[in-house]
Amino acid sequence: MSLSSKEAILAAARRAAQAHGYGGLNFRDLAEEVGIRAASIYYHFPSKADLGAAVAKRYREDTAARLEAIQAETADPLLCLHRYPEIFRQSLENGNRLCLGSFMSAEYDDLPEMVKLQVQAFADVNMAWLSNLLSATGVVNTRMAEQRARAIFAAIAGAQLMARSRSDISLFDALIESYRQAGLLPA
Amino acid sequence: MSLSSKEAILAAARRAAQAHGYGGLNFRDLAEEVGIRAASIYYHFPSKADLGAAVAKRYREDTAARLEAIQAETADPLLCLHRYPEIFRQSLENGNRLCLGSFMSAEYDDLPEMVKLQVQAFADVNMAWLSNLLSATGVVNTRMAEQRARAIFAAIAGAQLMARSRSDISLFDALIESYRQAGLLPA
DNA sequence: ACCTGAACACCGTTCAAGT
DNA sequence: ACCTGAACACCGTTCAAGT
């Protein structure tokens, strides 16, 4: 059975936003991909801001679920941390797309307030997960875990941004490896 | 004496692009700031792509000049490296703006070819400068300098992106400090 | 419930025409 | 050389009307 229109819109909007940003999202192209008319999107989402916020919210929820899945599969916190870059790598694998949080951070000035809130929440989810696992490893003390979590999140987002601009996933892998060698990420 | 229209357009376009990206650049607002009509911009730049490429080229040249200035002022390569984040910090100081290379990397899919080339060139200038100085310090061997230079560039771009989304320069400083503590940047 | 055509006001972009 | 009016294509949005 196929997706409901609302779910199809959300999925297409997410893909578009990861490739072109919130500003690059447009209802006519979106509608064409879903197989309806642009005006029909307004039945499901009252405005572009609402659609953007819904996309960002879903993106955060999906990411949170994936992080929880990693933690469920992988008992060792060091191994969990080792797997963290997967999240960003998969966006590159999926059509050289960017993390939605990164793209929207670049566009931050021009985002509706309700979208900004979701972007912050996305970053918070990532940093909390990282901080929690860093503490669990004992590699850094609890006081430093939060600080290190922010640094890791920012650095990996930067690595993805650079790899995307070169359309080169192996560059992403090499950057992550460099972070490990340098000591930013646990080896 | 005041700037020529062409220079005034370049300056205003740069500021706009660092705040709203290439996609967010618009000729009417730009023209209003310069004091001419939108159509007049096309006398100086035959298309938006040409303007974008000119802005990115100038941005790269300015950055190269600032990096050379740091090197001229500061004999010790370790001190030069210590000063590198200044480049990104100043964009944040200047109206919470993003590095043009970062914003355009996010928008990469939608960039005209001539703009893409300048974005690559900008990254290359930064990485070559970093690599050269890293080699000079002897902290890493020459073989690793290039790899580390990429990692530093990507990580600092990520730090700026995150600090901007929180409108918090002190967060940028804290992230740089974390990179030093972790060993990514020479302390 | 779900969708659409047609229209609206606006905006980025272009170009022939002005001075 | 330098600038502009006017037109064009496209956008987000609305709404009465369709099924």
Side-chain angles (χ1 to χ4, degrees):
Chain A
M1 95 152 220
S2 62
L3 292 176
S4 69
S5 278
K6 184 164 187 169
E7 287 300 319
I9 293 164
L10 270 177
R14 172 183 160 163
R15 270 180 270 120
Q18 285 188 253
H20 311 293
Y22 177 80
L25 251 189
N26 84 77
F27 278 44
R28 284 191 172 87
D29 288 351
L30 210 53
E32 187 174 18
E33 196 173 331
V34 174
I36 57 178
R37 295 303 185 158
S40 309
I41 296 175
Y42 286 86
Y43 174 74
H44 301 284
F45 302 97
S47 73
K48 185 177 179 180
D50 288 283
L51 174 59
V55 167
K57 179 168 183 287
R58 180 64 65 86
Y59 188 77
R60 166 172 60 78
E61 290 165 349
D62 287 352
T63 302
R66 292 170 64 198
L67 291 173
E68 282 163 28
I70 288 178
Q71 222 169 342
E73 291 165 18
T74 314
D76 181 357
L78 269 176
L79 283 176
C80 282
L81 289 168
H82 190 86
R83 289 187 58 189
Y84 179 68
E86 280 177 20
I87 301 281
F88 289 79
R89 192 182 202 281
Q90 281 168 20
S91 292
L92 294 172
E93 289 166 12
N94 180 23
N96 197 34
R97 285 184 169 78
L98 199 64
C99 167
L100 187 61
S102 298
F103 215 138
M104 287 184 164
S105 286
E107 294 176 297
Y108 206 73
D109 277 3
D110 301 318
L111 254 30
E113 200 58 41
M114 59 170 64
V115 181
K116 285 183 179 177
L117 293 175
Q118 294 300 332
V119 173
Q120 299 299 350
F122 171 79
D124 290 339
V125 162
N126 280 267
M127 294 190 291
W129 187 90
L130 285 166
S131 179
N132 180 38
L133 283 162
L134 284 165
S135 292
T137 62
V139 169
V140 295
N141 65 46
T142 310
R143 207 178 60 78
M144 304 300 277
E146 210 164 322
Q147 190 181 125
R148 178 63 67 93
R150 293 190 306 195
I152 290 174
F153 180 64
I156 293 180
Q160 190 199 36
L161 186 64
M162 182 169 174
R164 170 179 146 88
S165 77
R166 306 269 175 173
S167 299
D168 184 354
I169 295 187
S170 76
L171 174 54
F172 178 75
D173 295 335
L175 286 166
I176 299 301
E177 196 47 42
S178 293
Y179 292 158
R180 291 196 181 108
Q181 283 175 23
L184 178 64
L185 290 171
Chain B
M1 94 155 223
S2 63
L3 291 175
S4 69
S5 279
K6 185 164 187 171
E7 287 300 319
I9 293 164
L10 270 177
R14 173 183 160 165
R15 267 178 273 123
Q18 284 188 253
H20 312 292
Y22 176 81
L25 249 189
N26 85 77
F27 279 41
R28 279 198 175 95
D29 288 351
L30 211 52
E32 189 175 14
E33 197 172 330
V34 175
I36 56 177
R37 295 301 188 163
S40 309
I41 296 175
Y42 288 85
Y43 173 74
H44 301 284
F45 302 97
S47 73
K48 185 176 179 180
D50 288 282
L51 173 59
V55 167
K57 180 169 183 286
R58 180 64 65 86
Y59 188 77
R60 166 173 60 76
E61 291 166 349
D62 287 351
T63 302
R66 292 170 62 196
L67 291 173
E68 282 163 27
I70 289 178
Q71 223 169 341
E73 292 166 17
T74 314
D76 181 358
L78 269 177
L79 283 177
C80 281
L81 289 168
H82 191 85
R83 291 187 57 188
Y84 179 68
E86 281 177 18
I87 302 281
F88 289 79
R89 193 182 202 280
Q90 281 167 20
S91 292
L92 294 172
E93 289 166 11
N94 180 23
N96 197 32
R97 287 184 168 77
L98 199 64
C99 167
L100 187 62
S102 297
F103 215 138
M104 287 185 164
S105 286
E107 295 176 297
Y108 206 73
D109 278 3
D110 300 317
L111 253 30
E113 201 57 43
M114 59 170 64
V115 181
K116 286 183 180 178
L117 293 174
Q118 295 300 333
V119 173
Q120 298 300 348
F122 171 79
D124 291 340
V125 161
N126 281 268
M127 293 190 292
W129 188 88
L130 285 166
S131 179
N132 180 38
L133 283 163
L134 284 164
S135 292
T137 62
V139 170
V140 296
N141 66 47
T142 309
R143 206 176 62 75
M144 303 301 276
E146 209 163 326
Q147 190 182 123
R148 177 63 67 94
R150 293 189 306 195
I152 289 173
F153 179 65
I156 292 179
Q160 191 200 34
L161 186 64
M162 181 168 175
R164 170 178 147 86
S165 77
R166 307 268 175 173
S167 301
D168 184 353
I169 296 188
S170 76
L171 174 55
F172 178 75
D173 295 335
L175 286 166
I176 298 302
E177 195 48 42
S178 293
Y179 291 159
R180 290 198 181 108
Q181 282 175 22
L184 178 65
L185 289 171

